[in-house]
C-alpha cells in the first residue's frame, strides 16, 4: 500500500518530464532531417525520439528509488507505513530509539545503512546523468 501510494503520487512528475523531453527533442535537427528524408512517424519515434527522451527519465527514476526508500523508512518510522512483523529500516530505527542508552548500535546501524542506500542511489543517478547527457560529451 505504501509503495502504491508513493507511485501514484510521483507518476505525474515523471510523465511531465517525459513530455517536456519529447517537446524539446521533436524540434531537433536530426528529427527534421529524418522527416525530410521521408521517414515514417513510427520510425522517427522508435529510432530517434525514444532513445533521446528516455535518458532523463532513467536518471529521474534512479534518483527516485533512493527517495522512495527514504520515504518508506520515514513513513514506517512514524507508524503510518509498514507494521512491525515486516522488516524495514524505519521500523528498526523506531524500535531502537527505546534502547539508545543501552545499545546505541541498534539505532546507528539501520540509520547508517539507510543513509548509505539513499546516497548510493542519488550518486548512481548522477553518474547515469553524466554518462547519458549528450551535452557533456
Amino acid at each position: 500500500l505504501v509503495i502504491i501510494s508513493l507511485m501514484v503520487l510521483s507518476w505525474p512528475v515523471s510523465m511531465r518530464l517525459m513530455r517536456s523531453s519529447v517537446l524539446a527533442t521533436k524540434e531537433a535537427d536530426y528529427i527534421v532531417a529524418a522527416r525530410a528524408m521521408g521517414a515514417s512517424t513510427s520510425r522517427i519515434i522508435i529510432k530517434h525520439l525514444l532513445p533521446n527522451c528516455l535518458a532523463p527519465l532513467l536518471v529521474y527514476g534512479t534518483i527516485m528509488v533512493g527517495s522512495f526508500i527514504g520515504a518508506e523508512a520515514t513513513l514506517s518510522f512514524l507508524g503510518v507505513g509498514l507494521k512491525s512483523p515486516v522488516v524495514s529500516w524505519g521500523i528498526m530505527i523506531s524500535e531502537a530509539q527505546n534502547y539508545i542508552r543501552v545499545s546505541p548500535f541498534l539505532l546507528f546501524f539501520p540509520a547508517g545503512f539507510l543513509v548509505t542506500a539513499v546516497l548510493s542511489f542519488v550518486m548512481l543517478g548522477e553518474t547515469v546523468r553524466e554518462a547519458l547527457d549528450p551535452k557533456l560529451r
Side-chain angles (χ1 to χ4, degrees), residues 75 82 88 98 101:
L75 290 173
L82 302 173
S88 171
N98 298 329
R101 291 185 185 266

Side-chain angles (χ1 to χ4, degrees), residues 2-3 6 14 21 24-25 42-43 55 60 69 78 81 84 86 109 112 114 125 137:
V2 174
I3 294 171
L6 288 173
S14 60
S21 180
T25 306
S42 60
R43 179 172 174 83
Y60 177 73
I69 291 172
L78 294 174
S84 185
V86 179
F109 280 125
L114 176 65
R137 291 182 191 168

Side-chain angles (χ1 to χ4, degrees), residues 70-125:
E72 183 275 324
T74 303
L75 290 173
S76 296
F77 175 77
L78 294 174
V80 180
L82 302 173
K83 301 301 177 202
S84 185
V86 179
V87 177
S88 171
W89 283 325
I91 294 172
M92 289 179 184
I93 294 170
S94 177
E95 291 175 353
Q97 69 181 352
N98 298 329
Y99 304 107
I100 190 147
R101 291 185 185 266
V102 179
S103 55
F105 64 89
L106 289 175
L107 177 69
F108 293 146
F109 280 125
F113 285 124
L114 176 65
V115 168
T116 303
V118 171
L119 286 177
S120 296
F121 278 106
V122 169
M123 289 171 55
L124 178 67

Side-chain angles (χ1 to χ4, degrees), residues 31-55:
I31 302 289
V32 174
R35 191 173 292 129
M37 291 180 65
S40 66
T41 305
S42 60
R43 179 172 174 83
I44 291 173
I45 290 172
I46 292 171
K47 293 289 185 180
H48 299 291
L49 272 179
L50 282 180
N52 292 306
C53 293
L54 286 180

